[in-house]
Amino acid sequence: MTSASAAIPGPGRTKAFLRLVMIEHSVFALPFAYIASLTAMYEWDRNIHWGRLLLVTVCMVGLRTFAMAVNRIIDREIDARNPRTAHRELVTGAMSVRHAWTGALVALVVFLGAAALLNPLCLALAPVAVVPMVVYPYGKRFTNFPQAILGLAQAMGPVGGWLAISGEWSWTAVILGLAVGIWIGGFDLIYACQDVETDREIGVMSVPARFGIPAAIRGARACHTLTTALFVWYGLATHAGAFFWLGLLVVAGAFLYEHSIVRPHDLSRLNRAFFSVNGFIGIALFVCALLDLLVRGLTV
């Protein structure tokens, strides 16, 4: 009886798993999948299809949960050697590797199931979306540019959101996906700066560890400049209206603020730049893009 009950994840294990995968950070990727999905709905029949939007949400959260769990499992030995990450659940024992794998596989099944309910193309391409999620945590072991793999993984969200609605490939969605991937890769360059000394000591590869913090921050600035240009391209490609361009101005201002508070010799406000500013960017652009689509005729 004891062994049987231990095999069933209880509330404590569920909470530990949600902490492990930082479920609240879905805010970074979801808004852009919604922008793509809603724009595709606007181009399709100008109606919001709530059932499909729910399935897009399930897909996004399921795949991201799987990716984060696998990341934590693969990186648990590295995390144990880094003071900043030594408190993570797989290091402290708050979550066992077996239960982390269980949660990851459940999330993967949920993702694949939701993709199957959307359309055949989403199901066919779903395994492709899984690959960079698994490769990324290994990236820091064989390349100085693991953020490029992360960017590729994140770029799939908007592309998948569009495919979920149209069932057809869209290069317009690719523009938005590239913008998101380069954006997230850029702010991960900033985030990696706080681990430079530890990474060099234990052999973890990254842009800051190989080329230094100033180079990483310059790289992040270049990424976010390119991101802004891609958002402009996406706005032009979708014939966006005033609200979208207003949102893009807000995003550009947020980028300027982010890079004004993080400097090579002052990383004291790095967490504010990473969590607060980047979370705001996604939500702000989504709200403005939604208002733009509603004004242009999208029906709730």
Side-chain angles (χ1 to χ4, degrees):
M1 181 68 70
T2 303
S3 60
S5 61
I8 302 173
R13 293 194 185 106
T14 300
K15 290 180 180 178
F17 182 76
L18 293 178
R19 290 196 303 271
L20 178 79
V21 300
M22 302 175 77
I23 195 70
E24 67 277 9
H25 288 181
S26 298
V27 70
F28 292 136
L30 268 175
F32 296 97
Y34 288 154
I35 291 173
S37 297
L38 292 168
T39 305
M41 289 178 192
Y42 174 81
E43 294 193 357
W44 181 22
D45 65 0
R46 300 200 174 191
N47 290 307
I48 295 180
H49 298 265
W50 295 102
R52 293 193 181 210
L53 204 58
L54 175 61
L55 288 173
V56 169
T57 305
V58 173
C59 277
M60 289 293 296
V61 174
L63 183 57
R64 185 199 168 278
T65 299
F66 167 78
M68 283 295 294
V70 169
N71 190 314
R72 294 290 189 255
I73 292 167
I74 293 171
D75 277 354
R76 65 189 185 278
E77 293 182 3
I78 290 176
D79 288 344
R81 300 172 66 185
N82 185 334
R84 183 181 63 81
T85 57
H87 66 283
R88 287 178 176 168
E89 288 72 16
L90 289 176
V91 178
T92 64
M95 166 69 61
S96 70
V97 174
R98 180 167 67 93
H99 283 116
W101 271 120
T102 299
L105 294 176
V106 167
L108 180 61
V109 169
V110 168
F111 164 66
L112 293 174
L117 291 172
L118 282 165
N119 57 60
L121 184 58
C122 282
L123 179 59
L125 293 179
V128 177
V130 172
V131 172
M133 308 299 176
V134 178
V135 173
Y136 168 63
Y138 290 108
K140 61 179 70 71
R141 295 163 171 82
F142 64 81
T143 176
N144 290 312
F145 304 96
Q147 285 79 18
I149 305 172
L150 176 63
L152 175 63
Q154 297 296 331
M156 294 186 180
V159 176
W162 196 293
L163 290 176
I165 307 306
S166 69
E168 298 177 351
W169 184 260
S170 167
W171 289 108
T172 302
V174 171
I175 296 170
L176 183 59
L178 286 173
V180 173
I182 293 170
W183 165 54
I184 291 179
F187 75 65
D188 198 60
L189 281 175
I190 298 174
Y191 194 66
C193 288
Q194 62 190 320
D195 293 327
V196 167
E197 297 304 324
T198 303
D199 285 351
R200 287 171 176 168
E201 181 181 336
I202 65 180
V204 170
M205 302 173 74
S206 71
V207 170
R210 173 64 179 84
F211 302 103
I213 292 175
I217 292 179
R218 287 195 299 271
R221 290 172 180 166
C223 284
H224 292 161
T225 300
L226 182 54
T227 295
T228 305
L230 286 166
F231 281 146
V232 170
W233 188 6
Y234 176 78
L236 294 172
T238 56
H239 308 289
F243 277 109
F244 178 87
W245 297 113
L246 174 62
L248 189 51
L249 282 175
V250 172
V251 168
F255 279 145
L256 289 173
Y257 173 70
E258 177 178 14
H259 289 283
S260 73
I261 65 174
V262 177
R263 300 182 179 279
H265 303 294
D266 181 11
L267 301 178
S268 61
R269 291 180 288 182
L270 185 146
N271 281 334
R272 183 193 302 178
F274 184 80
F275 297 111
S276 302
V277 177
N278 287 295
F280 169 78
I281 285 171
I283 293 171
L285 192 59
F286 165 69
V287 169
C288 290
L290 175 59
L291 287 173
D292 182 58
L293 290 169
L294 292 173
V295 167
R296 291 162 59 197
L298 183 66
T299 302
V300 176

